[in-house]
Amino acid sequence: MDSSSLAANLLSFFPNPTPSLLLPSKRFFIPSRPLFLPLRSIHGLGPSPSLSSAVARETPFALSDPRLKLLRLAAEFRSLPEPVDRVKCLLHYASDLPPFDDDARTPGNRVMGCTAQVWVSASIDSSGRMRFAADSDSEITRGFCSCLIEVLDGALPEEVLEMRSEDLGDLNVVGLPGRANSRVNTWHNVLISMQKKTKALVAEADGRVSAEPFPSLVIGPDGIHAKGSYAEAQAMFLAPSESKVEELVNVLREKKIGVVAHFYMDPEVQGILTAAQKHWPHIYISDSLVMADTAVKMAQAGCQYITVLGVDFMSENVRAILDQAGFEKVGVYRMSNEQIGCSLADAAASPQYMRFLEAASNSPPCLHVIYINTSLETKAHGHELVPTITCTSSNVVQTILQAFSQIPGLHVWYGPDSYMGANIAELFRQIACMSNEEIAEIHPQHDRSSIRSLLPRLHYYQDGTCIVHHLFGHEVVEKIKELYCDAFLTAHFEVPGEMFSLAMEAKSRGMGVVGSTQNILDFIQLRVRESLERNVDDHLQFVLGTESGMITSIVAAVRKLLDSGPSSGRARINVEIVFPVSSNSVSRRSISDSQELEATIAGDLAKLAIVPGVAAGEGCSIHGGCASCPYMKMNSLRSLLWVCNELPDKDNSLLAYQASRLNVKTPLGNSVAEVGCEPILHMRHFQATKKLPEKLVNQILNVT
C-alpha cells in the first residue's frame, strides 16, 4: 500500500489539532494546502520553515537536548491542519528510518504491547551518548520509531531516563492524548523499552551487577519450562499423578460430591483438580464471589455434598446461600478441623471496625460498602449499624460511583481493606483530572464536578490488609521497575499504593490490569488471543501481582489457547509468568515426596527437592515475598481425599469439618445468616441492573 492510500485509511484516527506555532524542523514537509506561518519562530532564534533542512540543522534547536527536539517535533505535527498531511508527515519520517540490522531482530529486542512487530536496539558511543536503532513491520509504527529516535538518539543516558511517557502527549500526532489507544501506546512502549536498555547499558558500563530476575514459568509449544527454584516448585504440580486424579474422581463420582475451590489453592491441589475437571464436571476453581453460586448449581445438578477449598468465610457463604436456595440437606465441608482464617476478615471482625461503622452511622445519608472477603457475621452486624452492600475488587468502583450518583449528598464508608480503599481514593483523584467525555465513559452520570465533590465524602478503613498483597511493597516495585518495566503488569486491587500506581501506569498504555483475580486471568487470556491472531512469533511476559496460586488456572487457560486450532503454520508463542518472589522464599524437602510427572516436564523437575515457603515453615520472606497465603495452604489434597472418603459422616467424625450454619442472632435479635446475606443480595441486584436496589436506597434514606 502506498503512502497516500495508507494515509486515507487512517484519516479517522487523526482529528484536527489546535493550530500551533511551527518550530523549525530538520525536514520541510510540504502540506496539501498553504499554511500561515510567522516570519520569526520562538524567541526569534530559528529560521523560517521555508529554509532548507540543511540550514535548519545548524540552528540552536538542532542541539542534542531531547526536550527541545521533542518541542520542535510536536510543533511540526501541530502545524499541519489537515489529517492527511499529518499522516503523510509520519510516513515521511518512516521513510527516513535507517536500515535495521537483521541480526538485531531478536526476541530480546522486541517491544511488548505493540499491535505491530517492533524491534529496538541500543548502545553507548565513545562519548557516552545513547545510540538507538528501531524497525517495525508497520509503516505507521516505523514513523513513530523514527520520531522517537529523532528525539533520543545522541542523548545522554540521564536525558533518556528523564523523559516521561506523559511528555509524549505533547506530540498530539494521533490526536488522542491521554487515551489508552494502540497507536498512542506505541510511543510509550517503545520509550519504555529504550529506557530499560539504557539502564542496563549504564549499569554494565559502571560495572554494576544486574539484579537477579524473579523466577518464572514459560508456557509454550514445547511445554512448560521453569526459571528459578520457586517456579520449579510450582511447575512440579502442573502435571499431576494420574493415579491421584483417578482416586479423587472415583470418590467424587461415587458419592456425588461437588468441589468449589479458590484460585489461591496450593499448586498440588489445583493441579489435581484441574486434571480431574476433565472427568467430573462438578469441580470449579474461581474467585470467592462465584464459589457460592456454583455450589447452588452443583446442588441443582444432584450433588449431595459440597467441599469448599478456601478460608472459613467462603464456606460460611456457601452454606448460607445453599440454605437460602432451599438446599439445607446438602452437606458443606471445610478442609481442616482448625480455623482457616483470613487477615482481612479478622480485621473487619475487630472492635476497631465496629467503631469505624459507628462513626459512619453519625453521617447520614451513609452507605457501608463491604468487601466480599468478610464473614457473614461481620456483614450482618455492619448492616444493622449502617445500610450495607457487598462488593468485589472487580465491581467496587462502579458500585461506589453508582451510589454517589443515585443518592445526593451520600457518604460512602468502605472497608476493611485499607490498601484497596486508598487505591480507590487515588483512582477517583485521577478520574477528576480527566475530561467530562472520558469520565462519562467510566460512568455516564458523572463529570469532573461530581467526582471532585464526592472525594471528601468517601471514607475508608485504615487498619486492614491482606497479608499476601501487603508483600508487594517498595522492594518488589523497585525490582519490577528495573527488570520488568516493559512487561505486562497485573495487580490485584488489594496491593499497596506504590504497586497500584505502577500497574495503573502500565494500564494507561495497554500494558497492565488492576482488579480481581478473574480480571487478571481475563487480561492474560486476552493478550494471548491477540498474539495468536497476529500469528507471528512472540514472547509475552506477565508479572503476576497477586497470590502465586493463580498460576495453575493461568497455565490451564494459556495451554488451552495455545493448543486450539491447527498446528501447521502457527507461530511460536511463548507466555512467561513472573513471580515476584525472593530467593530465600523456598525450603527443602525430600526427593521421595515428589509427584509423578509427565514425560514432557520430567527430567530435571523430577530431581527437585523444594517447596514454596521460608525455611521456618509456610510463609513469605519480607524481602520480596513469595505471595503465598498460609491460610489457603491449609487446604491439602490429603484433607480433601480424607473428607470425601469419610462421607457420609455416619459416626460424626467430620463434625469439626462442617461449614458453620450460623444460628446465632445479631445484637438486634435477627438471624445472622439472613441479615448477613442481604448485602450480598443487594450486590447481585446491582450487578444485574447497574442500580442500587430500592430496598437499600430506602434503608439509606431511612424510608420505611
Side-chain angles (χ1 to χ4, degrees), residues 621-634:
S621 164
I622 200 65
H623 303 292
C626 66
S628 180
C629 177
Y631 298 116
M632 288 290 187
K633 301 311 178 284
M634 293 173 68

Side-chain angles (χ1 to χ4, degrees), residues 215-233:
S216 64
L217 280 180
V218 180
I219 313 152
D222 299 327
I224 299 173
H225 306 280
K227 298 180 180 180
S229 57
Y230 185 80
E232 291 169 345

Side-chain angles (χ1 to χ4, degrees), residues 570-617:
R570 184 190 299 170
R572 294 183 62 83
I573 310 295
N574 287 294
V575 180
E576 183 175 6
I577 309 298
V578 178
F579 302 94
V581 57
S582 66
S583 59
N584 58 347
S585 292
V586 296
S587 59
R588 296 282 158 184
R589 59 177 281 175
S590 72
I591 297 176
S592 61
D593 287 341
S594 298
Q595 298 292 306
E596 298 174 28
L597 299 170
E598 293 177 350
T600 53
I601 58 171
D604 294 338
L605 295 185
K607 303 173 185 177
L608 294 175
I610 52 177
V611 294
V614 293

